[in-house]
Amino acid sequence: MSEYKSEVKTIYASQERVYERLSDLSNLAAIQQNLDNPEALERLKEQAGDKVNPEQLQDIVERLRKLQFDRDSVSGSSPIGNIALRIVEREDPKTVKFAVEGVPIDANMWIQLLPAGDQQCAMRLTVKADLNFFIRQMVGNKLQEGVDSLATMLASLPY
């Protein structure tokens, strides 16, 4: 198994509040509601920086619009079929573990939260994937970038 870890991110909200939001994936549906908000789209552009051109950003926005959320999962279509991220374990208030479904590899992800002050917490995102040597060489750097980007996005959500 290959392991990819984000940097530790500081979130300016209590550990309990962040856990409450991230352990119920239906809370992330608010992202879709903000896709028509010009200020939210501008923040998305800023976060993407020069890594994403305007056409790619529009494609990302359209994919986000098509995601389906419930308490335990987020799912959507991809070029390889339907993919879901499903919560498989919750450890209140410090860990949420996920399994990836609908992909040809065994992969899981977890979010770790630790208190870091009165109204702050520290977050780290970890992904483990069963990749053979050749696949790891081709996509390992992209997976690390994806983990880092997702951690940054999660840290910037309003809690």
Side-chain angles (χ1 to χ4, degrees):
M1 282 273 206
S2 301
E3 186 172 275
Y4 302 90
K5 292 183 177 185
S6 73
E7 294 179 4
V8 174
K9 302 290 183 178
T10 299
I11 299 176
Y12 297 97
S14 70
Q15 177 186 16
E16 292 77 13
R17 178 70 181 141
V18 174
Y19 176 83
E20 178 184 304
R21 292 288 304 260
L22 296 178
S23 65
D24 181 349
L25 295 177
S26 62
N27 290 322
L28 296 178
I31 293 170
Q32 287 176 320
Q33 296 164 356
N34 281 329
L35 292 177
D36 294 323
N37 178 341
E39 292 173 5
L41 284 176
E42 193 58 40
R43 279 194 310 271
L44 190 60
K45 287 178 189 176
E46 288 174 12
Q47 288 177 351
D50 60 353
K51 295 180 185 177
V52 178
N53 67 44
E55 294 81 27
Q56 291 171 319
L57 185 61
Q58 187 58 38
D59 184 49
I60 291 168
V61 167
E62 291 308 313
R63 288 180 191 267
L64 287 171
R65 287 184 201 282
K66 295 177 183 177
L67 290 177
Q68 298 171 336
F69 299 89
D70 64 34
R71 183 178 192 288
D72 295 323
S73 69
V74 58
S75 60
S77 62
S78 77
I80 62 170
N82 287 329
I83 295 178
L85 188 64
R86 183 168 313 282
I87 294 177
V88 294
E89 186 178 331
R90 292 175 177 91
E91 190 176 341
D92 189 358
K94 54 187 178 177
T95 309
V96 182
K97 295 182 181 179
F98 303 84
V100 180
E101 300 173 347
V103 294
I105 60 169
D106 184 27
N108 55 51
M109 176 179 87
W110 61 95
I111 299 170
Q112 297 168 288
L113 301 168
L114 293 171
D118 189 30
Q119 287 297 309
Q120 295 181 22
C121 70
M123 179 200 66
R124 172 173 272 165
L125 181 68
T126 304
V127 171
K128 279 191 177 180
D130 191 13
L131 304 173
N132 68 39
F133 175 78
F134 297 107
I135 299 293
R136 186 172 49 250
Q137 295 303 311
M138 290 187 329
V139 302
N141 288 340
K142 294 291 183 190
L143 263 173
Q144 184 62 56
E145 288 175 17
V147 167
D148 290 335
S149 294
L150 182 56
T152 298
M153 188 269 302
L154 290 173
S156 67
L157 291 175
Y159 292 95

